[in-house]
Amino acid sequence: MGDGDGKLSTAERTAVKQRAAELRAEKAAAKAADKRAAGRALLEAAIAEMPDEEQNLARRIDAIVEANAPDLVPGTMYGAPAYKTTAGRTVLFFRSGAKDNYRYSTLAFQPDATLDDGGMWPTSFGVVSLSDKDEELIAALVRKATA
């Protein structure tokens, strides 16, 4: 939290406000006839706020998720494009590096992703570009995460 003073930093306050807005939007979307369309609109808006390079990465990841886990519902989590189960549990998200002033974006899998492999397995990846091999890995992980 903050600078050790027990208060939230500006970035933390912004994230809390974003999450509150998302929860309100999700509640409204739950009432909507088409949760997928409402979630897709939230996801597209989050992608549109990213720099062009990251938009490209986010759209490529979105295409991979849609092709390999069509049952996941698009949406957002703390302002980041995210994919959830029909029960609303986040499986994975893509976080903009620019938004956090990081040199890389993050593709991360949440605890509901079934990636378990022995005593240790990957759950988060720094992303600055995607090769064909990277896209194949993401596709395999998305399939495993939703198996």
Side-chain angles (χ1 to χ4, degrees), residues 18-63:
Q18 261 183 331
R19 186 64 183 141
E22 287 170 2
L23 290 171
R24 286 190 299 274
E26 287 173 6
K27 187 174 180 181
K31 295 177 184 177
D34 189 354
K35 287 183 186 182
R36 179 169 289 281
R40 169 66 49 197
L42 289 171
L43 181 133
E44 291 293 336
I47 291 174
E49 291 178 3
M50 295 177 185
D52 291 345
E53 273 177 30
E54 289 181 339
Q55 282 186 32
N56 181 44
L57 292 172
R59 291 191 194 296
R60 288 171 67 189
I61 290 169
D62 179 51

Side-chain angles (χ1 to χ4, degrees), residues 112-114 141-147:
D112 284 299
T114 54
L141 288 170
V142 167
R143 288 190 300 272
K144 185 174 183 181
T146 57

Side-chain angles (χ1 to χ4, degrees), residues 71-91:
D71 291 340
L72 290 181
V73 178
T76 57
M77 183 177 86
Y78 294 101
Y83 303 87
K84 303 174 183 190
T85 64
T86 54
R89 298 186 60 101
T90 302
V91 175

